[in-house]
């Protein structure tokens, strides 16, 4: 069984899921999109703003589970457009440039046209929080 992690103030999911699922020391952060509290999209057409938003939201789930950005060990990235790869990486490096976790990145359609990036993260959060 897992413990659901739902950060205070998190936007309502647009499908049946929780923001994070913690099993032991492992936290699985659901796919994060640039979505507002009413299920609408944020920052239409702006890959940098959407990237910053999805990373900050994923970090918020990790913090709600007792961890920090340093506990993120893996990121799966889905980009809608290949031409956004360089801009995505510029913003990604602002957060993960010093000690980047393992990751993969694919180009694929997302659930709605206005979404340009989705981020799925895995974190390791020992019971001591470190």
């Amino acid at each position: 069984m897992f413990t659901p992690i739902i950060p205070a103030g998190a936007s309502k999911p647009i499908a049946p899921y929780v923001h994070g699922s913690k099993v032991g020391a492992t936290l699985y952060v659901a796919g994060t999109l640039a979505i507002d509290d009413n299920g609408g999209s944020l920052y239409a057409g702006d890959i940098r703003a959407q990237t910053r938003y999805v990373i900050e939201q994923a970090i918020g789930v990790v913090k709600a589970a007792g961890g920090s950005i340093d506990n993120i060990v893996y990121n799966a990235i889905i980009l809608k457009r290949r031409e956004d790869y360089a801009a995505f990486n510029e913003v990604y490096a602002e957060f993960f440039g010093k000690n980047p976790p393992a990751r993969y990145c694919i180009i694929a359609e997302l659930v709605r046209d206005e979404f340009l990036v989705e981020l799925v993260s895995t974190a390791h959060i020992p019971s001591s929080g470190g």
Side-chain angles (χ1 to χ4, degrees):
M1 196 65 188
F2 68 90
T3 301
I5 305 296
I6 304 170
S11 60
K12 181 181 176 187
I14 60 173
Y17 65 87
V18 294
H19 294 81
S21 299
K22 190 163 191 259
V23 180
T26 304
L27 173 68
Y28 302 94
V29 179
T32 305
L33 297 162
I35 190 166
D36 67 20
D37 293 336
N38 299 313
S41 63
L42 296 168
Y43 314 111
D46 187 339
I47 186 61
R48 285 179 174 84
Q50 285 194 20
T51 298
R52 187 167 284 105
Y53 182 86
V54 299
I55 292 171
E56 289 170 348
Q57 294 304 300
I59 292 168
V61 176
V62 174
K63 287 181 178 178
S68 73
I69 189 172
D70 295 329
N71 295 106
I72 297 174
V73 296
Y74 186 77
N75 285 314
I77 301 126
I78 301 101
L79 291 176
K80 180 178 179 180
R81 306 180 306 207
R82 183 178 321 276
E83 60 267 23
D84 288 335
Y85 186 67
F88 168 83
N89 278 319
E90 288 173 14
V91 176
Y92 187 88
E94 292 174 18
F95 291 89
F96 297 107
K98 183 178 175 186
N99 188 27
R103 75 175 224 191
Y104 82 83
C105 182
I106 62 169
I107 307 299
E109 290 294 320
L110 295 172
V111 297
R112 291 203 304 239
D113 288 340
E114 60 269 28
F115 295 130
L116 303 177
V117 60
E118 185 169 358
L119 178 71
V120 180
S121 300
T122 305
H124 179 77
I125 306 171
S127 58
S128 65

